Amino acid sequence: MSAASHRVSRLEPYLSRSEPAPTLLKMLVGVQLAGIREEAGLSQEQAARAAGFSAAKLSRIEAGKGRRPPAEADVRALLELYGADGHEASVLVALLQRAGEPGWWQRYDKRLMPEWFDRLVGLQEAAEAIRTFEIQYVPGLLQTRAYARAVVERGLPTASAAEAERRVELRMRRRELLLRPDAPRLWAIVDESVLLRVLGGAEVMREQLEHLVETARLPHVTVQIVPLDVTNASAPAIPVTYLRFGGLDLPDIVYLEHIRSAHFLEDREETEEYRVVLDRLADEALDPRASMALLRRTLKERYATR
């Protein structure tokens, strides 16, 4: 089987996905274009010059970045330049067309979904595995409605009640990811202080911790707690989300969230550093069974019904 035929055999199943996955499809198109370019013996700079693109534009296309997919005419021009196999070219164009179908999250107001957040949600929807570390809040994919509302009200105290509710609805919709038949594996490491920081009152916290215990029973969900008495834990100072995709040459991506922006790392050396940090944290945290015991003990000692 030729390299082109092998790539096509792995790409064709994505054409029949029931749900649009624009972020994943843009990345797939980009990485395949980069591979065909390299097989044609062209550097990114040479290809951009020959196609009449800026190097930055070709870099964005190959990285699958941007709210919208690249123009079909641009992709066809690149495929022709590279002398791509006809069948492979037709599959890539079909994937590109599917990438133009909006994901459910892209139907929300852009005020709720800036480009960086659009990309995060799309990456989570496409991921095979999600690893996350949280030092302040319960991870978003594990939040209850009442807890999510408390987080939104704390983070955006001037937001209207209607805006706050839309944000909560968006978070609840994101949570459905874990209930899909093809749900990604979620491995969440949470600092113990998150369990003690009261948001929304004791009843909200009780419901949230009960939800954590219940969700951790799912076979694809792992929750570990870093206890307060682990004083030398190698925890980063900000939340970290590490995303891994299927075996289609897609890079691992690290998402670092700031107050009103975010940073995505895709360089292999940088993402590897964060993978090692998360591995160390998992070693330093309580194992999943002991973590559940701590959650239940915290429920009983701090949030039990009076």
Side-chain angles (χ1 to χ4, degrees):
M1 180 183 290
S2 69
S5 299
H6 179 61
R7 284 195 297 263
V8 167
S9 68
R10 296 195 299 164
L11 290 171
E12 284 180 320
Y14 288 92
L15 291 173
S16 57
R17 283 176 65 113
S18 57
E19 284 289 328
T23 305
L24 173 64
L25 297 182
K26 283 184 294 186
M27 292 170 62
L28 284 174
V29 169
V31 77
Q32 299 307 315
L33 281 172
I36 299 170
R37 170 180 58 74
E38 289 168 359
E39 286 180 3
L42 294 170
S43 69
Q44 197 173 73
E45 184 177 334
Q46 289 170 328
R49 190 184 309 115
F53 297 166
S54 68
K57 176 177 178 176
L58 183 54
S59 177
R60 284 195 303 274
I61 291 173
E62 292 187 352
K65 293 180 179 177
R67 192 183 288 269
R68 296 179 179 177
E72 184 175 325
D74 290 341
V75 172
R76 287 186 181 277
L78 291 170
L79 290 167
E80 184 176 351
L81 173 66
Y82 304 154
D85 171 83
H87 182 46
E88 182 175 26
S90 68
V91 169
L92 281 177
V93 169
L95 286 175
L96 178 68
Q97 291 167 346
R98 284 224 69 188
E101 299 175 24
W104 64 262
W105 63 95
Q106 293 175 322
R107 300 183 179 98
Y108 280 79
D109 187 325
K110 286 184 173 58
R111 288 184 62 241
L112 304 184
M113 191 64 66
E115 187 168 331
W116 57 268
F117 191 54
D118 177 295
R119 189 175 186 217
L120 170 66
V121 177
L123 289 172
Q124 288 183 327
E125 288 284 321
E128 181 181 76
I130 302 171
R131 298 180 67 179
T132 185
F133 167 70
E134 272 287 352
I135 198 167
Q136 187 169 13
Y137 301 122
V138 170
L141 293 175
L142 297 173
Q143 291 179 7
T144 63
R145 179 179 293 274
Y147 185 90
R149 183 175 290 107
V151 170
V152 169
E153 290 173 351
R154 179 175 179 172
L156 297 169
T158 61
S160 68
E163 180 184 345
E165 187 58 30
R166 286 197 300 274
R167 291 181 181 275
V168 172
E169 286 296 336
L170 173 57
R171 189 156 299 184
M172 293 302 97
R173 180 66 178 82
R174 289 174 60 203
R175 199 176 72 169
E176 294 176 17
L177 171 67
L178 297 179
L179 302 179
R180 286 186 343 204
D182 61 342
R185 297 190 306 277
L186 176 66
W187 183 357
I189 302 176
V190 179
D191 192 82
E192 185 184 357
S193 61
V194 170
L195 313 182
L196 309 178
R197 183 175 295 108
V198 179
L199 272 75
E203 185 175 344
V204 170
M205 293 301 298
R206 181 170 61 253
E207 180 190 37
Q208 176 61 75
L209 267 60
E210 288 172 347
H211 178 70
L212 270 180
V213 171
E214 188 65 28
T215 307
R217 292 195 176 103
L218 295 173
H220 56 281
V221 175
T222 300
V223 176
Q224 288 184 261
I225 308 297
V226 181
L228 293 175
D229 59 9
V230 178
T231 56
N232 62 342
S234 52
I238 59 173
V240 174
T241 298
Y242 189 103
L243 300 132
R244 175 160 284 177
F245 305 91
L248 286 168
D249 305 319
L250 297 175
D252 295 349
I253 295 178
V254 170
Y255 168 80
L256 305 174
E257 186 169 323
H258 308 294
I259 294 176
R260 289 194 176 273
S261 64
H263 192 45
F264 294 87
L265 304 178
E266 298 178 46
D267 178 80
R268 190 179 299 275
E269 288 187 9
E270 290 183 309
T271 58
E272 180 66 10
E273 287 179 11
Y274 280 92
R275 186 194 64 76
V276 170
V277 166
L278 290 173
D279 284 348
R280 281 203 204 109
L281 267 174
D283 289 339
E284 294 162 350
L286 299 174
D287 65 35
R289 185 187 295 270
S291 294
M292 291 304 101
L294 175 58
L295 273 167
R296 293 189 181 94
R297 188 163 64 249
T298 304
L299 267 165
K300 181 178 179 181
E301 294 175 356
R302 289 183 64 90
Y303 304 118
T305 304
R306 302 296 181 186

